[in-house]
Amino acid sequence: SDEYEEIEIHENVILFRNKQHYDIWGAYSRQGTIICETTYKEIVPISQFALKVCKETEEYCYGLSYTWGIIDFTGKELLPVEYDWIADEPDNGLLTIRKGLKYGFIDAMGNLLLEPTYYSINRFKNGYAIVSKDDEFEYGVIDTRLNEVIPCHFSRITYIEESHLFETESGYKDPSGRYYAESNGKEVLVPSKYSCCESFDIGVAVAVLNKDFYTKLEGLINDKGEDILPPIFESLTPLDNGLYKF
């Protein structure tokens, strides 16, 4: 039609630009119902329920600024058009969003599941993703329910696909956050509240709890992973005869 500058036909939606507003887009359903008039700088179908939309905002020193949001197929705004970036495709049913320097998640319906919190979020592998806080210097792990199963207390984390373990600078942790240790050739799973433990001596080891990236407390555990002394000490140093200096 002479009215339209461009038409794009997708599986569930028809996008259009008209000659009067050639640089902004509108959308129809495949049944011909109007979703929105020419309103958005970009429209991207992201699911059978929702569209990702973009608006041009005020200029800044490097040029124009753009913000993104989500609308449904009636044109209703599901997620405010205030985010700097939204992924085109879901990862484990989740769409990554960014606001400023931080990333979070929405679902395919545009529901906000996690406010932008992390400086980086890797792709999920076997249901887990490595994340970072504090400008990528504090790494941890989240699951697909967005629980932080390994707190962001480590300067590096690598996922070992063969063993399904996470290697940190302190050793190995399983996906539930438990630390792998060894006592007299026997595997010990140290509770997830501890970031690591030192070598076992006569069935006892110093275990380290990270309150945050910079603050650590130490306690004692046995080779069943049970607390002997709670982690309330700034440091524990083994002496002779099973004694410890604190």
Side-chain angles (χ1 to χ4, degrees), residues 19 37 85 103 116 125 140 142-143 197 239 241:
K19 294 190 176 185
E37 300 288 353
W85 177 79
Y103 293 85
K125 289 185 177 180
I142 60 173
D143 61 18
C197 74
L239 304 173
N241 302 318

Side-chain angles (χ1 to χ4, degrees), residues 112-132:
L112 183 62
L113 302 179
L114 177 69
E115 288 279 0
T117 303
Y118 297 103
Y119 276 85
S120 69
I121 300 175
N122 290 8
R123 289 190 66 84
F124 283 91
K125 289 185 177 180
N126 294 321
Y128 298 91
I130 296 171
V131 297
S132 70

Side-chain angles (χ1 to χ4, degrees), residues 139-200:
Y139 289 89
V141 176
I142 60 173
D143 61 18
T144 52
R145 295 181 179 180
L146 307 181
N147 299 310
E148 198 171 285
V149 293
I150 299 179
C152 292
H153 293 159
F154 298 91
S155 59
R156 65 175 179 85
I157 292 183
T158 304
Y159 179 57
I160 310 300
E161 202 152 1
E162 296 78 15
S163 60
H164 303 295
L165 295 176
F166 293 91
E167 183 182 10
T168 75
E169 70 270 19
S170 304
Y172 293 89
K173 278 184 165 280
D174 71 5
S176 68
R178 295 176 299 180
Y179 179 77
Y180 270 56
E182 190 176 285
S183 175
N184 294 322
K186 183 181 72 173
E187 185 180 88
V188 179
L189 289 174
V190 179
S192 59
K193 67 180 180 181
Y194 294 109
S195 60
C196 62
C197 74
E198 297 179 6
S199 299
F200 278 87

